[in-house]
Amino acid sequence: MIARPLPSSAPAAQGVDATGVEAFLDALDAAPGIRPHSLLILRHGHLVAAGSWAPYTQDRPHLLYSLSKSFTGTAAGLAAAEGLLRLDDPVLAYFPEFADEVTDPRVRGMLLRHVASMASGHVAETMDRARALDPDDLLHGFLRLPPERDPGTVFAYNQPATYTLAAVVQRVTGQSLTDYLRPRLFDPLGIGGAVWHRDRGGRELGFSGLHATCDAVARLGQLYLDRGRWEGRQLLPEEWVAEATRPHIATAGAMSGGDWDLGYGLQFWMSRHGFRGDGAYGQFCLVLPEQDAVVALTSETVGMQTVLDLVWAHLLPAFHPGPLGGREGADAALRERLAHLTLPAAAGKPTPPERADAWAGAVFAPEGGGCADQPGLTSVSVTAEEDGWTLTLTEDGHALPLHLGDGGWAVAEEPLPTAVSGGWTDAGTLAVDVAFLETPHSLCVTCSLPGRTFTARWHTTPLMPGVPLRKLRAPGSSS
């Protein structure tokens, strides 16, 4: 389906100082280690700023990592409204096939609200331990793992807890999360193309794996800002919104500090200002009730607190209580800048003419016999084509050809969505950046002609262990 455009407005008409938004963009550009991908800002229900940094675009789905949890929580809220589940039911009530096997009193006392609020009683992430107990069924492994504390008394950021919540929704609805949400959330909000990764058993992950646009993130934030209403319809009960966005469990000391110390709701974090959904490497849905605003951002960074600090420092002061007069010039300047955002391309020059023959057909092996950051990458080759050069990464027998442009970013959709920049840094060294456009990941590959070796280094390492490069895209696409 084609998403209906969000209502748009000049920033000043909604009380937003465009120079403050530009200051935020300046700060993102200046901050080391932050690669923004897409940004949307809504104020009073109107889109006042939207842009994507080339080679990324607004219409491309993006791996949201743990921001997926907020969509899973929304699915649970919709199922609760339909009478299909209750937060105060024991988790085991939904999986009677395990009732005789699971005898630990803490697991038997674990309620749905406990897994929804990351308060299962476990004191640390259980993913590896649950998988060890049952490699084929994460839910079964999780239910076999006794909590160290009583449920509801301690916070631990815990992927199998959300997986369990998602499994309950899929059990009681008889549908995948995506199919259940399509007529109830995605279609009413005008969200198209949202797709979820599944595990080997066929369940959508829930805790991660959702690919959706930054626009979809903004629409979810606006739904919560408006207490579950969208275009005059109450899509999500107001009571669920209130319950999901209040602190259920203290988080201080359990995470990395800063905005992660302020409590957890039902698949939403509390923030210094408002509440948020977020995902690894800089995926954000910031809901600011006091400012009547939503900020949606996709990016690639390990400095997530830095991003939040920049929002608080630059965007919050840009929100004013009423319309701003005489700001047409600032609004136009911001609009122009947002239309031409670009990530810096990797430095590089065309191949030195005197070494072109040496580079043509050259094959490179991993430096030192192995590549720690990408162990599946077994060789790299460089070939001359009529229209330039092709760098081919080979992994487990699968070849990924990448065209090198003449400067800037060379974007390709097949065999998977990528953008490549870089070139020769000297006669014997080729260095390229490979952005996997439907994820927050990019890879730096450097080939050395004298030794016929290469290195490969992630800017942000994929969180799915052993995922092959060809799978770094939205599920359901060709590969």
Side-chain angles (χ1 to χ4, degrees), residues 35 76 105 111 134 144 164-165 184 205 233 238 249 284 302 305 315 323 338 369-370 387 408 465 470 472:
R35 295 185 175 195
L111 306 180
D134 191 334
R144 291 181 60 194
T164 299
L165 180 66
R184 294 165 178 83
L205 297 180
R233 292 176 55 196
E238 185 173 353
I249 191 78
F284 287 106
V302 295
Q305 184 62 60
L315 286 187
L338 289 169
D387 58 347
R470 64 187 180 277
L472 291 176

Side-chain angles (χ1 to χ4, degrees), residues 22 28 55 60 156 187 211 262 286 389 429 479:
E22 289 224 56
L28 286 177
R60 190 179 292 281
D187 285 348
H211 285 251
L262 302 175
L286 309 180
W389 293 84
T429 306
S479 59

Side-chain angles (χ1 to χ4, degrees), residues 375-391:
L377 203 59
T378 53
S379 70
V380 174
S381 62
V382 178
T383 53
E385 312 288 348
E386 289 186 4
D387 58 347
W389 293 84
T390 295
L391 182 77

Side-chain angles (χ1 to χ4, degrees), residues 73-337:
T74 303
L78 291 166
E82 294 177 1
L84 300 176
L85 60 81
R86 296 188 306 170
L87 284 176
D88 290 318
D89 283 344
V91 170
L92 273 176
Y94 296 93
F95 305 103
E97 65 270 31
F98 301 135
D100 292 340
E101 174 189 359
V102 177
T103 59
D104 181 82
R106 285 175 169 161
V107 176
R108 298 183 72 88
M110 190 187 301
L111 306 180
L112 205 55
R113 72 166 58 251
H114 295 144
V115 294
S117 60
M118 297 291 184
S120 64
H122 299 92
V123 299
E125 170 68 65
T126 64
M127 177 68 84
D128 291 342
R129 290 177 289 160
R131 279 181 170 159
L133 289 171
D134 191 334
D136 297 318
D137 188 344
L138 183 61
L139 169 68
H140 184 219
F142 177 65
L143 294 177
R144 291 181 60 194
L145 189 63
E148 297 85 356
R149 303 270 292 276
D150 289 340
T153 64
V154 62
F155 171 87
Y157 198 62
N158 192 356
Q159 312 306 324
T162 305
Y163 182 88
T164 299
L165 180 66
V168 170
V169 173
Q170 292 173 88
R171 169 67 60 94
V172 300
T173 65
Q175 296 178 284
S176 69
L177 294 172
T178 302
D179 288 344
Y180 180 67
L181 287 173
R182 174 56 56 199
R184 294 165 178 83
L185 182 77
F186 294 153
D187 285 348
L189 264 59
I191 294 174
V195 288
W196 229 304
H197 281 289
R198 296 173 182 257
D199 66 8
R200 67 182 68 178
R203 289 195 191 107
E204 290 181 336
L205 297 180
F207 62 85
S208 184
L210 179 62
H211 285 251
T213 63
C214 193
D215 176 88
V217 173
R219 290 169 190 256
L220 182 74
Q222 189 65 44
L223 177 70
Y224 273 82
L225 181 64
D226 289 339
R227 301 178 183 179
R229 291 186 68 80
W230 185 267
E231 295 181 346
R233 292 176 55 196
Q234 193 73 41
L235 297 183
L236 186 64
E238 185 173 353
E239 296 78 13
W240 178 269
V241 173
E243 190 74 359
T245 60
R246 71 169 180 86
H248 284 251
I249 191 78
T251 59
M255 294 291 286
S256 56
D259 279 81
W260 282 264
D261 269 357
L262 302 175
Y264 197 76
L266 302 180
Q267 307 297 293
F268 280 95
W269 290 94
M270 305 302 106
S271 292
R272 273 178 283 173
H273 305 277
F275 56 92
R276 73 186 190 281
D278 65 38
Y281 302 131
Q283 323 320 313
F284 287 106
C285 177
L286 309 180
V287 184
L288 309 172
E290 289 189 9
Q291 290 77 24
D292 194 25
V294 173
V295 179
L297 177 71
T298 57
S299 61
E300 179 184 16
T301 184
V302 295
M304 291 179 65
Q305 184 62 60
T306 299
V307 174
L308 290 176
D309 290 342
L310 297 180
V311 172
W312 309 148
H314 300 289
L315 286 187
L316 281 188
F319 297 129
H320 293 264
L324 304 174
R327 303 299 177 92
E328 293 81 6
D331 286 353
L334 175 61
R335 185 167 57 250
E336 176 70 12
R337 180 169 180 179

